[in-house]
Amino acid sequence: MNISEGVIDTCFLIELDDNQEACTILAMTIENTSPLWQQISDRLKDEISVSRFDAWIRPVSATQNGQKLTIAVPSRFFMEGLKNSYAARIAELAAEVTGTDIDLSYQVDTSLATQGDPEPAMPDEADLLLVDGYIDPRFTFENFIVGSGNEFCHAAAQAVAEKPGAIYNPLYLYGGVGLGKTHLINAVANALISKNNYRIAYRTGERFTNELIQAIRNGSTDNFRNQYRQVDVLIIDDIQFIAGKDRTQEEFFHTFNALYEIKKQIILTSDRSPRDLTNLMERLRSRFNWGLVADIQPPDLETRLAILSSKAELAGVHMDRDVANLLATRITNNVRELEGALTRLTAHATLTGRTIDVTFARHVLRDLLHEEIRAISVEDIQKQIAAYYNINIREMSSSKRSRTVAFPRQVAMYACKELTTMSLPEIGARFGGKDHTTILYAVRKIAKMRDEDEDFDEEVSRIIAQLRR
């Protein structure tokens, strides 16, 4: 491998919880780019957009030693994105150029970075007509771990990517934080980008609102409307942000209609189903239900283990089975937290030279694991459910029998039985001295309703998931 003999000191920061720890590593600089890599990059330049080439190919350097091509990248983040999006194509081009199989390897060379991880370069005018907004190339269908809680949403997203505007329009995905909604909508966008003929606008609900406010201030609302009504695919992440903002909802309503009438694809994500979005115009709520509304549930144990295995392999980390089980059984509702736990373990192990075992994991992740196994009190349950159903928490212990009060109280009694180790009489005592038979009746009633009503079952599942966070 052709590397310079000089060695430089490079300092970088790794964020651990709320603290930053600095470490200095020795990195060998690579001065010369392989002619093979030059040919590969020239081919890629003809195949992908200018913005993507500038973001992911131009910063790369490579050296060749016989049948081995070593690709140097500025950071681990960059490496992950490059490998997810282009590793397969790079391998194909290397074989095509040389006529033989080439051994590819990747390494981090922080001297290539100027200001941290590279951001995509501004696309040229032609590119802006195709993609408006940053689509993360790391999020693809190929690296999305499918499990029982997300397989329906995954299949729906793939169907939309195959025939945008023709099926499931709009596609509305909802679920808790860190369950994969953003991954799926980026995967749809990346699949469409590869076809090179779809104009895509990708926004968060907040950015859409801010752009409208700016357009109103500048007197450029016509330009704002044209920008969104000429796309083939409109993707809005966290659409719940526009709830309660009348002018934004009005503008989005007309944009929705304009795109829907000409069979352009609309994809939305939210933390709640359309019916649970408060302060949302009824006509918008109705339109959100026109297509397919699908919810992503927290991953089951097998899926969480598969996610950990995939991420550990990508990071080049050996994940002990006992450590994987510890993380997967304690961190149950948020894939992002699961990935974050693995990142923290890897960073601590790298900095300290320690082996990642159960004892080490318990020490490093003691705050996160403690949060996952914290005791849930009756007061927590009453407060959460009272807020959800918009009643006063004092009514949980009252003798009122009106349905607006009695029903949320029964849901709270059921949740106490599910989430605490208290006996029925103990639970009854916390609800104003109710008899244990009253608690038992409530538990059986809510359980039966969950069995018979799929929508209500989803509602209770969301409440319980929020309480467990």
Side-chain angles (χ1 to χ4, degrees), residues 104-119:
L104 294 177
S105 65
Y106 294 79
Q107 70 177 27
V108 174
D109 178 7
T110 53
S111 68
L112 295 175
T114 55
Q115 294 181 343
D117 291 327
E119 293 295 329

Side-chain angles (χ1 to χ4, degrees), residues 2 45 51 56 75 184 203 262 293 339 348 355 357 405 467:
N2 297 323
K45 191 172 185 178
S51 59
W56 296 105
S75 69
L184 280 178
R203 292 290 186 272
I262 56 176
V293 176
E339 296 176 358
H348 274 277
T355 300
D357 55 21
V405 173
L467 284 164

Side-chain angles (χ1 to χ4, degrees), residues 387-400:
Y388 187 89
Y389 288 104
N390 197 28
I391 66 171
N392 193 299
I393 190 172
R394 290 192 297 272
E395 293 176 315
M396 286 287 176
S397 302
S398 74
S399 58
K400 290 184 180 180

Side-chain angles (χ1 to χ4, degrees), residues 308-327:
L308 279 172
S309 175
S310 173
K311 296 297 181 181
E313 182 179 353
L314 183 64
V317 176
H318 171 70
M319 176 59 65
D320 181 83
R321 181 179 299 177
D322 291 337
V323 175
N325 282 326
L326 173 67
L327 269 58

